[in-house]
Amino acid sequence: MDNNELEKSTAYITVEIIEYIPNSVVIKTILKKSTGNISVMSFDSGEGLTEKISPFDTFAQIIEGKAEIVIDGQSFLLDTGQSIIIPAHKPNVIKANERFKMILTIIKSGYEL
């Protein structure tokens, strides 16, 4: 077991797994396997992730607040409860115009083109 993972067979309130830290992006691993991972993240207002391109599809779920996710130059504003699939091989940026929390799920199939 990855010591950074959450304890198995334990109930959690997902939005309470992680806290906000001023001027920071915080990442907590929920589950990490060779076939993919699930993480919960908190973004303070004005923070974000730099542009990246993943070889795998990524499922982003907003669990608190509002996020801006830019995929291949197109901006999507997501509110609590909304989600989006970030396609493999597309440039993407995650921005916090206000603070928010989200879950990111990546499944590595190994067969992406």
Side-chain angles (χ1 to χ4, degrees), residues 15-41:
V15 75
E16 294 179 359
I17 291 171
I18 199 164
E19 297 300 323
Y20 295 105
I21 295 179
N23 306 309
S24 299
V25 175
V26 182
I27 303 170
K28 174 71 177 166
T29 301
I30 294 175
L31 191 62
K32 185 177 182 84
K33 302 291 178 198
S34 61
T35 53
N37 60 63
I38 303 170
S39 301
V40 64
M41 306 173 76

Side-chain angles (χ1 to χ4, degrees), residues 59-76:
F59 184 62
Q61 302 167 271
I62 308 308
I63 58 173
E64 182 176 88
K66 297 179 182 183
E68 179 181 5
I69 299 179
V70 181
I71 302 170
D72 205 17
Q74 183 177 0
S75 179
F76 299 88

Side-chain angles (χ1 to χ4, degrees), residues 52-58 86-92 106-113:
K52 67 177 190 165
I53 298 173
S54 172
F56 307 106
D57 290 338
T58 302
I86 302 169
H89 310 290
K90 296 289 184 185
N92 63 85
I106 300 170
I107 298 174
K108 300 176 182 178
S109 73
Y111 298 103
E112 309 299 331
L113 299 176

Side-chain angles (χ1 to χ4, degrees), residues 1 20-21 36 46 51 54-55 60 63 68 80 88 94 100 102-103:
M1 180 177 108
Y20 295 105
I21 295 179
E51 182 176 274
S54 172
I63 58 173
E68 179 181 5
T80 300
I94 298 174
F100 73 93
M102 73 174 179
I103 298 172

